[in-house]
Amino acid sequence: MERRLHSLASLLKLCCTAKASPYAGLLQSTCRTFSTHFLLQDVVEDLESTKPSQKINDQSVSLAKSLAILSEESFKQDKIRPLSRSDHKRLLELRIKKCVKAQYKNGKFHNIMENVIANADTLRDAYDIICLNSNVDLGSKQEYSCFGSLLEELRNGGFDFEKNAVEFVAKSKAKESLVLPRLKLRIVQEAIRVILEVAFRPYFSKISHGCRSGRGHQSALKFVSKEIGVPNWHFTIPLNKEVDRNMLSKLICEIEEKIDDPHFVSFILAMFEARVLNLAFGKFPKGYGLPQEGILSPILMNIYLDAFDREFFKISMKYEALDLDRNYTMDGHSSNLRAWFRSQIKDKNEKLNHVTETGTTTRLYACRFMDEIFVAVFGSKEASQNILSEIVDFLNSSLYLDVEHAADKIEGRDKSHGIQFAGALVRIAMENAAKVRAVHKLKDKVRLFASQKEEIWDAMNLRIGKKWLAYGLKRIKESEIKSLGLSTPLLDQISQYRKEGMKTDHWFKTLLKVWLQDINVKDEANEKVVLSKYMVEPALPQDLRDAFYDFQKKASLYISSEEDVTHELLSNFKKIKEDCVIRVEAPLNFIKRSLNRYGLVNLEGHTRHVPALIFQDDELIINWFSGLVRRWVRWYSQFDNFEEIRVLITESVRMSCIRTLAAKYRIHEILIEKKFDINQHFDTDIDLTQTDYAPVHDEALMYGSSYSGLCALMLFRVKVPTRNFKCFIMGCSVESPSVYSICVKEKQRFPGWKTGFAPIHWSLNRKRVGICNKHVKDLYQGNISLQSIEFGALTK
């Protein structure tokens, strides 16, 4: 608002001095409207003192030129505003893209390796992009001194992949290995990524949502839940394949269609042979920017699966556009393209007609997030099965991908248990009306109240039973003291079970065993039930027992009657198609399991402290927990059950943070909460439009940063006496005061849910890295990902 008022004030002053005197009255009235603002008070005075009869200087500037000058001044003011990391990265990529586009000739890009990659400016820009990904200020970045040797190696073709990569082998029976690039190779990979995006991104299909500008995880889920509608049938395509020779040949052919450079293609092949670059379809959840994915994996996966996107449009045209007898409408508007297409072929082939059993036109929708594919079909089940069969045949024959159990993935509108897509459970549900919600709420309250009364009843009976046991043991012990002279018929009766030399406790256990045999309680679960049901309840007054069980019976009858009412209401709602909606929900059970694996809760679900964080600074401890909250807010903000996630965050993460600090200082949790003001760090009622919490719409610019998996960095040792380490974050020149050990909490496996906890490759477990305090905080807060760490720094 401040800048707009400045611009308005400048515009009014220019109009006063230019040839715009006929509009002085209008401008004067406009200024009086805003005269309360201090910026426009001087303008109002100037307008009132200006007379219409005043002569304009012949050398005065014209109004059009004045307005042009004003726009230039406004542009200069905008340039003064500091640029964000994304803006800096976008500008650096534009410089590389200009060099790439200069090599475009006759429909292809030529001499990419010689004129673009083997260029000092390109390599420096790629290095600056890496520094921005690492959240390193370009003014304070560590200068890289090996550009000369890197240029020579690239130009001569003598780049040593083995020397510029590091391999980690997991300490397991499978001996899983992971090869990661060093900084030299990482710079070249960053340049290759920008080049591939220039060549291929403009041609990607609209159904692709993985790591593209304006398209990502949230846009994919929004398309599925908001834009498709409620399909008759929907399914996912579970891919499972690691890249082999056939797939690699197919990928190279796709690249050669746009780029004509043998050296560039041979360099990509050499990266695959060195295993520093890999494509694994369906092996682990994508989109986190973890080391096992690689910086080139997203763009290469989109290039490879773009053939599927094109094939899907052919299948869609076959089932939609060739319906010759019907006019396809969407929201009341007919499709002119389909109408024209049908008119062209109607006389040629009258047999191409795909009409569903219900008389509606078959429609297809697809959404692909990286290697996860979701397909929705409006039509018959037979049509959806044929579509699935054609898709699987194409993936097997043309793309050499394995599809497992695809036929079992088809779900209908009537029976939808939900399918997994992009870390969410996508299912068709009834939109409950107010009556149904009220019935559920009242029924749950009655059930909860009845269960609470039953728990109180059993607890009081158990308490009486324990007192009965204690009294019996006391009486037996007193009977051994002859001076007390205790002799009753009951004691005389039970004395027959006491053998000579038997101790009191053994005698008491023998009596209990005889009593249990008499009442025959072999099938009971535990001793609590025995004491409550077989000892205490028979001794209670009959009217008290009748009142309790009558209440429980009436409560169960009410709950069952309300369930019948609910089923009747839901059966009525099923007849109305408009009440069906697609719900995108988070897998709460998997989140709770991950919380247990990360040590935030125990097996019973109760929060606990994290021992690995106790020796870290207070600020880093709070940042670790608050970073988890930030990731969840970013990842689950568009989910339908986000409120349940919010409660889970409040109850689990916040309390675990308090208990970790309480265990560190050994003081009460209430004092910890007041001392550190925990609530301000875990305020989940936040505005998602803020910079810190707003979702990263352009995943192509900041791949994997905001959604990166939260890994526990356990403090290994405070100081290294024999050697000083610089921070392992690429581009950072600050010395690392501490060495951390990466503690892998979740072993990678598939299928896996994207729960905010991404599985890290098991070979990185217990690997030591030196990170400065600033970047430890950035890693905790989700400002950087594990891609920014140079894991081979210790082995140099």
Side-chain angles (χ1 to χ4, degrees), residues 469-482:
L469 288 176
Y471 177 77
L473 180 60
K474 179 181 177 182
R475 293 290 292 176
I476 289 176
K477 287 185 177 181
E478 288 178 351
S479 66
E480 295 180 342
I481 304 175
K482 296 180 179 180

Side-chain angles (χ1 to χ4, degrees), residues 307-324:
F308 163 78
D309 300 342
R310 297 192 300 267
E311 181 65 21
F312 179 81
F313 279 110
K314 294 180 182 178
I315 297 175
S316 176
M317 182 65 70
K318 174 183 176 182
Y319 280 86
E320 292 185 21
L322 301 183
D323 185 1
L324 305 179

Side-chain angles (χ1 to χ4, degrees), residues 606-658:
H606 303 297
T607 55
R608 59 184 297 270
H609 71 281
V610 182
L613 299 174
I614 290 180
F615 296 103
Q616 296 194 23
D617 297 338
D618 299 338
E619 183 182 3
L620 295 181
I621 293 175
I622 296 175
N623 285 328
W624 191 87
F625 288 99
S626 63
L628 178 58
V629 177
R630 288 170 179 262
R631 284 173 173 83
W632 274 4
V633 170
R634 291 177 182 138
W635 188 261
Y636 295 115
S637 59
Q638 302 299 323
F639 283 61
D640 293 325
N641 60 341
F642 177 67
E643 290 302 323
E644 300 179 43
I645 299 292
R646 190 189 298 270
V647 173
L648 188 62
I649 291 172
T650 303
E651 295 297 328
S652 300
V653 182
R654 176 177 167 276
M655 284 305 302
S656 182
C657 177
I658 293 174

Side-chain angles (χ1 to χ4, degrees), residues 395-604:
L395 292 173
N396 290 334
S397 60
S398 299
L399 297 183
Y400 312 105
L401 292 170
D402 296 335
V403 183
E404 298 181 355
H405 308 291
D408 300 335
K409 299 295 182 180
I410 299 180
E411 290 200 358
R413 181 183 297 185
D414 297 332
K415 297 181 180 180
S416 177
H417 301 288
I419 58 177
Q420 177 186 347
F421 174 70
L425 183 68
V426 181
R427 65 185 183 89
I428 298 176
M430 229 67 63
E431 188 176 11
N432 291 345
K435 293 181 180 180
V436 179
R437 289 195 297 268
V439 168
H440 281 298
K441 188 175 181 180
L442 184 58
K443 182 181 64 177
D444 293 339
K445 283 185 177 181
V446 173
R447 183 188 289 112
L448 179 62
F449 183 74
S451 63
Q452 288 176 347
K453 293 301 179 184
E454 186 177 3
E455 289 177 1
I456 295 173
W457 175 268
D458 294 338
M460 296 304 296
N461 288 342
L462 179 62
R463 184 178 179 183
I464 296 174
K466 289 181 178 179
K467 286 186 176 181
W468 173 75
L469 288 176
Y471 177 77
L473 180 60
K474 179 181 177 182
R475 293 290 292 176
I476 289 176
K477 287 185 177 181
E478 288 178 351
S479 66
E480 295 180 342
I481 304 175
K482 296 180 179 180
S483 60
L484 294 178
L486 296 176
S487 179
T488 62
L490 181 61
L491 288 176
D492 295 339
Q493 183 181 357
I494 65 177
S495 297
Q496 60 180 334
Y497 297 102
R498 182 172 186 177
K499 299 180 181 179
E500 187 175 346
M502 182 181 291
K503 294 183 180 181
T504 303
D505 293 341
H506 190 193
W507 182 24
F508 184 67
K509 291 179 182 179
T510 303
L511 292 175
L512 289 178
K513 185 177 180 180
V514 172
W515 177 67
L516 292 175
Q517 290 175 354
D518 291 341
I519 62 176
N520 192 16
V521 291
K522 294 182 180 180
D523 298 332
E524 298 299 335
N526 49 43
E527 65 277 4
K528 297 180 181 180
V529 178
V530 175
L531 291 176
S532 175
K533 300 296 182 183
Y534 292 89
M535 193 278 297
V536 178
E537 280 195 11
L540 293 176
Q542 184 66 32
D543 56 348
L544 180 61
R545 286 181 290 166
D546 293 342
F548 172 73
Y549 285 108
D550 184 60
F551 167 75
Q552 293 292 334
K553 182 179 180 180
K554 289 181 179 180
S556 60
L557 288 174
Y558 176 80
I559 292 172
S560 61
S561 64
E562 294 300 334
E563 286 180 352
D564 295 337
V565 174
T566 304
H567 289 308
E568 183 179 356
L569 289 172
L570 290 177
S571 62
N572 293 332
F573 287 142
K574 287 181 180 179
K575 299 177 183 178
I576 306 175
K577 296 181 179 180
E578 287 74 10
D579 287 336
C580 295
V581 294
I582 288 186
R583 289 184 59 85
V584 176
E585 298 177 346
L588 293 178
N589 293 331
F590 288 87
I591 294 176
K592 293 176 181 178
R593 293 178 190 175
S594 297
L595 286 173
N596 174 252
R597 282 192 287 266
Y598 271 67
L600 298 177
V601 299
N602 55 18
L603 293 175
E604 290 77 19

